[in-house]
Amino acid sequence: MSNEQIIWDQALIEKYNYSGPRYTSYPTALEFNQAFTSAEFEMACQQYPDRKLSLYIHIPFCHKLCYYCGCNKIITRHQHKADQYLEVLEQEIKQRATLLGDRQVSQLHWGGGTPTFLTAAQISRLMTALRSAFNFDDDAEISIEVDPREIELSILDHLRSEGFNRLSIGVQDFNKDVQKLVNREQDEDFIFAMVNRARELGFRSTNLDLIYGLPLQTKALFAETLQQVLTMKPGRLSVFNYAHMPTLFAAQRKIHEDQLPSATEKLAILQDTIATLTGAGYQFIGMDHFALPDDELAVAQRDGILHRNFQGYTTQGECDLLGVGVSAISMIGDCYAQNQKELKLYYGQMAEQQTALWKGVTLDADDLLRREVIKALICNFQLDKRAIEAEFSIDFDSYFSEDLQLLKTFINDELVTVDQNTIHVELKGRLLIRNICMCFDKYLRDRARQQQFSRVI
């Protein structure tokens, strides 16, 4: 595989570095509304009964506050709060299983918060509840997000015995000064030991999460973190852009803006990161994800069958996605649905209504068509217009005439090539894939809404 997977064009990156969605869904969560009903959700559960099921479980608790974090979390040292949460979570699992329990589960992911906030006994309790309610494939992909600061190495053995076969470990940065300023000090030797232990135990892959744009980071310092990461050779890497939005996330007010890298320095960090990782043999999957060439994500992308959902890039996009727990999002049938975001409201609604549904949206024919177009571009950097025409019974160029006009600026800048049959994203357009997808987003016709998103890079 060629190392050249992206051509960096500084002027064009700066030109197009404005705000936009990440397209973990189309329409985005901004279109969710509280008029969406449980009846609509239940109808959606019957829409594609032969689809397999992907489960997402949200565990909201963390022992410590990371100042950069914008996730839905609850900081506590009280382990009994997890017992109370599991009790309600089990009720929701049983209720949702009455609608979807006959489906085969091919994927399970625990996110948070910090799922490894749970003790070994609590992990087993939740896995028992899930296996009692749902039918799991023998080779199901079962993954969990791990905070290396508050965990014993033996927990990996316990996770493996409970069927987990993928790990995602939050590293963010190995630099001690950076760690102190974001309140996330951790032992790098322990992280190395975790990665090695996961390999010994037969975990299919380990993903490491990094963040660029944190206080005191420079290109040179972040390069040192990258070199340490490369010695571990994880199967996947996520390198996220820190979006400083202290008005939205109170914890970020503890981060001093004058200590953040400049926009120019951030771009330099990203450019060096991409060059380093692709030079080390990683495939650029898109936006902030990299994978070794033999990883399932990389193979799926080369085969043109990669998908994207609320969990990011995935090889199992043909599944219905059921989210369980506070704030969890589902993608069932032709609808999206989100649970109550605040824990008290989640508990109260589960007690009163036996459902935590808060809001959602049912996709119309145009939404489904545009979702397919955006998914093809953001996952595979290429779109077969004829395949879209055959699937949706449209004339592509006529239907998307306004969108193709918006795309012209990217064509003129040689970021995208369009011919009679295909739309192809060039190597220097790949970093700007979000901008390119925005051309097909009818909800963004009103440009004022872009202020609700983070910058694309």
Side-chain angles (χ1 to χ4, degrees):
M1 186 176 65
S2 167
N3 282 343
E4 188 173 51
Q5 300 172 54
I6 292 173
I7 294 174
W8 185 279
D9 189 312
Q10 185 80 14
L12 289 175
I13 286 169
E14 290 177 3
K15 174 181 176 179
Y16 290 109
N17 192 17
Y18 45 77
S19 303
R22 299 184 60 79
Y23 292 117
T24 51
S25 73
Y26 179 86
T28 70
L30 284 179
E31 309 311 323
F32 295 7
N33 62 80
Q34 293 183 51
F36 184 81
T37 65
S38 290
E40 288 177 272
F41 181 87
E42 290 173 17
M43 271 184 12
C45 290
Q46 308 308 316
Q47 201 167 359
Y48 304 110
D50 296 330
R51 279 186 184 171
K52 289 198 173 185
L53 201 58
S54 174
L55 298 176
Y56 171 75
I57 312 297
H58 191 79
I59 307 295
F61 305 106
C62 295
H63 289 104
K64 294 178 183 174
L65 178 66
C66 301
Y67 296 158
Y68 57 79
C69 183
C71 297
N72 187 38
K73 75 274 182 191
I74 294 158
I75 311 301
T76 182
R77 284 278 173 189
H78 300 295
Q79 205 67 40
H80 72 272
K81 290 191 175 182
D83 285 320
Q84 180 189 6
Y85 183 71
L86 290 179
E87 206 166 296
V88 182
L89 199 62
E90 286 168 358
Q91 292 173 23
E92 189 187 0
I93 288 166
K94 286 175 185 173
Q95 195 282 328
R96 290 309 190 209
T98 63
L99 300 169
L100 295 157
D102 57 344
R103 305 271 196 102
Q104 286 296 119
V105 174
S106 59
Q107 191 176 49
L108 167 66
H109 181 72
W110 291 16
T114 305
T116 49
F117 178 94
L118 302 183
T119 63
Q122 289 168 336
I123 289 167
S124 293
R125 174 182 172 180
L126 181 50
M127 281 304 297
T128 298
L130 288 164
R131 291 191 184 278
S132 298
F134 294 99
N135 304 311
F136 282 77
D137 285 349
D138 291 339
D139 62 345
E141 176 185 302
I142 304 179
S143 59
I144 186 169
E145 297 169 12
V146 175
D147 182 344
R149 295 171 301 167
E150 300 277 344
I151 187 175
E152 298 291 331
L153 204 57
S154 61
I155 286 291
L156 293 192
D157 297 67
H158 186 71
L159 290 170
R160 192 72 190 93
S161 71
E162 286 290 353
F164 286 88
N165 48 38
R166 290 188 185 276
L167 292 180
S168 183
I169 302 174
V171 172
Q172 322 321 348
D173 195 312
F174 277 124
N175 184 279
K176 294 299 178 190
D177 293 328
V178 174
Q179 290 176 7
K180 285 176 186 172
L181 287 176
V182 297
N183 200 37
R184 193 185 172 91
E185 295 179 65
Q186 52 200 9
D187 180 354
E188 63 194 63
D189 290 337
F190 184 71
I191 293 172
F192 276 75
M194 284 186 74
V195 172
N196 287 332
R197 186 62 184 148
R199 204 167 273 134
E200 290 168 4
L201 289 168
F203 279 84
R204 286 188 208 168
S205 81
T206 300
N207 178 87
L208 297 186
D209 288 341
L210 304 176
I211 299 178
Y212 71 98
L214 295 176
L216 298 189
Q217 283 181 335
T218 63
K219 182 176 110 171
L221 289 176
F222 199 69
E224 293 175 11
T225 286
L226 289 175
Q227 290 308 315
Q228 288 170 284
V229 164
L230 287 174
T231 62
M232 290 183 272
K233 205 162 187 179
R236 298 176 187 176
L237 273 165
S238 303
V239 188
F240 296 110
N241 165 31
Y242 170 63
H244 189 62
M245 294 185 281
T247 55
L248 282 181
F249 307 112
Q252 293 187 0
R253 293 168 204 159
K254 295 178 181 290
I255 293 176
H256 300 295
E257 288 196 38
D258 59 356
Q259 293 182 313
L260 295 174
S262 66
T264 302
E265 187 71 20
K266 270 185 81 172
L267 283 179
I269 294 170
L270 177 61
Q271 183 178 12
D272 187 65
T273 296
I274 292 168
T276 299
L277 295 180
T278 55
Y282 282 85
Q283 183 172 318
F284 176 71
I285 301 299
M287 294 194 293
D288 34 41
H289 282 68
F290 300 81
L292 289 174
D294 59 352
D295 186 272
E296 289 175 13
L297 280 186
V299 174
Q301 186 175 57
R302 293 197 302 274
D303 291 345
I305 56 172
L306 189 65
H307 294 271
R308 188 164 172 78
N309 62 23
F310 295 105
Q311 295 171 38
Y313 291 103
T314 177
T315 57
Q316 302 198 34
E318 295 303 332
C319 297
D320 272 342
L321 170 65
L322 173 65
V324 182
V326 63
S327 80
I329 300 177
S330 299
M331 189 164 69
I332 302 283
D334 293 338
C335 83
Y336 303 132
Q338 184 172 18
N339 279 353
Q340 286 289 350
K341 206 170 182 180
E342 293 181 32
L343 193 59
K344 282 184 180 177
L345 293 175
Y346 173 78
Y347 284 161
Q349 195 172 310
M350 279 299 301
E352 292 169 16
Q353 302 175 29
Q354 287 74 56
T355 173
L357 182 66
W358 174 32
K359 58 182 181 177
V361 63
T362 297
L363 280 63
D364 62 24
D366 181 74
D367 292 331
L368 295 170
L369 167 55
R370 290 176 184 275
R371 179 173 73 176
E372 201 62 29
V373 167
I374 288 170
K375 186 183 79 172
L377 290 171
I378 208 163
C379 290
N380 304 311
F381 301 121
Q382 187 154 303
L383 171 74
D384 182 341
K385 291 199 282 185
R386 298 295 167 252
I388 295 290
E389 288 180 332
E391 184 175 352
F392 293 94
S393 302
I394 59 157
D395 178 86
F396 191 96
D397 290 350
S398 298
Y399 192 97
F400 290 107
S401 57
E402 185 180 353
D403 313 80
L404 292 169
Q405 283 296 316
L406 292 172
L407 199 61
K408 275 195 172 174
T409 179
F410 299 98
I411 297 169
N412 294 339
D413 283 334
E414 299 178 344
L415 300 172
V416 176
T417 304
V418 179
D419 61 29
Q420 191 175 350
N421 296 317
T422 60
I423 297 175
H424 178 75
V425 181
E426 300 295 337
L427 293 184
K428 66 178 180 178
R430 293 188 172 192
L431 269 180
L432 297 164
I433 189 61
R434 288 164 68 181
N435 308 69
I436 292 162
C437 290
M438 285 159 66
C439 295
F440 294 92
D441 185 339
K442 72 176 181 185
Y443 297 98
L444 278 181
R445 297 293 189 253
D446 176 4
R447 306 296 286 178
R449 297 199 63 178
Q450 288 181 42
Q451 66 190 2
Q452 298 187 53
F453 298 105
S454 61
R455 284 182 178 271
V456 298
I457 292 177

